[in-house]
Amino acid sequence: MKKYIMERAIRVEDSGPQISRSQASDAYEAIRGGIVSGRHAPDKKLKIQDLANELAVSPGAVREALSRLVPEQLVVSRDQRGFSVAPLSIGDLEDLTDLRCEIETICLRRSVAYGDVNWEVGILASAHRLRVTQLMKGEGELLVNPSWVKAHATFHTALVAGCGSRRLIALHAQLYEQSERYRGLAAHYETGRDIDHEHQRIVDMALARDSEGLVDATLSHMRATTRSIVQAVKAKDSTVGPA
């Protein structure tokens, strides 16, 4: 009986950290999603107690989640000032784009070399879903359709899915999500582009197993988006008068 009580006590004691880890993971996903979607604005102070109340988790779980988001460069930790959403800037976007292009190049070339018929099917299926999904939605002030955002991410993930490296795919996904924080800024500055044509060119190069053509088409697509975002930011800044 004594042995049973001791074993039960150990199991109860061990369950605490498991619950904490589960809460931390839930908080991490919720806060991360809020930052990427723009619900948590750049430079916003992330108050631990407020987030804990909102997400119905412990303050410790929130603190752990925020700490995990610091190395992903989505959250900034300032001594004695707590946590804030990482700021956005043209310099950061250009640096991010350069790094994305480097990783994208490696992933695409490996995918062309190693990707099988399932890789090709994945590209075709994701490209079709993206093509039939409406980009903008809403009345009055149009907003980017969340379904299109998801379909677009799936398409770019499918392109690199054949690279054969779990770590490369994870890094690609992390950089892609960081760039999504900027995408909304370009929504109304894409009028001179034929996005569907750009995507189709990427698909054609992938299916032709033309690695150089695929890299060129994809990087041109990415850099065009960056130019649109920079244009949007500069236009916005020019409308703001001196304080």
Side-chain angles (χ1 to χ4, degrees):
M1 182 67 175
K2 183 176 181 181
K3 180 180 179 181
Y4 169 78
I5 294 174
M6 291 180 64
E7 289 177 347
R8 180 176 175 82
I10 291 173
R11 285 197 297 270
V12 170
E13 183 179 351
D14 287 345
S15 67
Q18 291 174 357
I19 295 173
S20 176
R21 283 195 294 271
S22 175
Q23 287 191 352
S25 295
D26 290 344
Y28 166 82
E29 293 295 341
I31 298 169
R32 191 174 194 270
I35 294 172
V36 172
S37 68
R39 188 169 67 85
H40 294 310
D43 296 311
K44 174 184 176 182
K45 185 172 179 59
L46 297 168
K47 298 180 179 179
I48 292 176
Q49 190 59 58
D50 289 350
L51 287 169
N53 294 338
E54 176 188 339
L55 301 174
V57 298
S58 69
V62 171
R63 183 178 295 278
E64 181 179 333
L66 293 174
S67 297
R68 287 173 59 185
L69 289 165
V70 171
E72 294 186 24
Q73 300 183 43
L74 294 176
V75 167
V76 176
S77 175
R78 297 185 172 95
D79 291 341
Q80 308 302 321
R81 295 174 59 188
F83 297 92
S84 300
V85 178
L88 298 181
S89 69
I90 291 177
D92 177 62
L93 172 61
E94 292 174 339
D95 179 57
L96 176 59
T97 301
D98 287 343
L99 181 55
R100 284 188 66 205
C101 287
E102 294 286 344
I103 298 302
E104 198 87 18
T105 297
I106 297 171
C107 290
L108 291 174
R109 285 179 175 161
R110 287 174 59 108
S111 289
V112 168
Y114 305 139
D116 57 13
V117 67
N118 292 322
W119 173 66
E120 297 177 353
V121 170
I123 292 172
L124 284 170
S126 61
H128 176 69
R129 182 177 297 277
L130 179 60
R131 186 167 52 252
V132 301
T133 303
Q134 186 176 351
L135 171 59
M136 308 298 286
K137 66 177 296 186
E139 299 178 359
E141 183 179 356
L142 293 177
L143 299 174
V144 177
N145 183 0
S147 295
W148 186 92
V149 172
K150 183 178 180 180
H152 190 248
T154 300
F155 172 68
H156 281 281
T157 299
L159 289 166
V160 303
C163 75
S165 169
R166 177 178 55 83
R167 294 183 185 278
L168 274 174
I169 291 174
L171 179 56
H172 175 274
Q174 179 179 330
L175 295 174
Y176 182 92
E177 287 203 350
Q178 289 180 17
S179 71
E180 283 297 281
R181 298 182 65 210
Y182 289 92
R183 183 177 302 281
L185 299 174
H188 300 286
Y189 288 82
E190 303 282 14
T191 54
R193 296 174 63 188
D194 186 342
I195 303 295
D196 287 341
H197 176 75
E198 292 179 22
H199 288 149
Q200 188 57 51
R201 180 171 176 243
I202 292 171
V203 171
D204 291 343
M205 293 297 101
L207 297 182
R209 301 284 177 152
D210 182 344
S211 60
E212 294 306 314
L214 176 58
V215 168
D216 179 69
T218 305
L219 267 55
S220 295
H221 172 70
M222 291 167 53
R223 291 196 180 281
T225 298
T226 295
R227 287 194 298 271
S228 296
I229 295 170
V230 170
Q231 178 185 357
V233 172
K234 289 182 176 178
K236 181 180 179 181
D237 290 345
S238 68
T239 62
V240 180

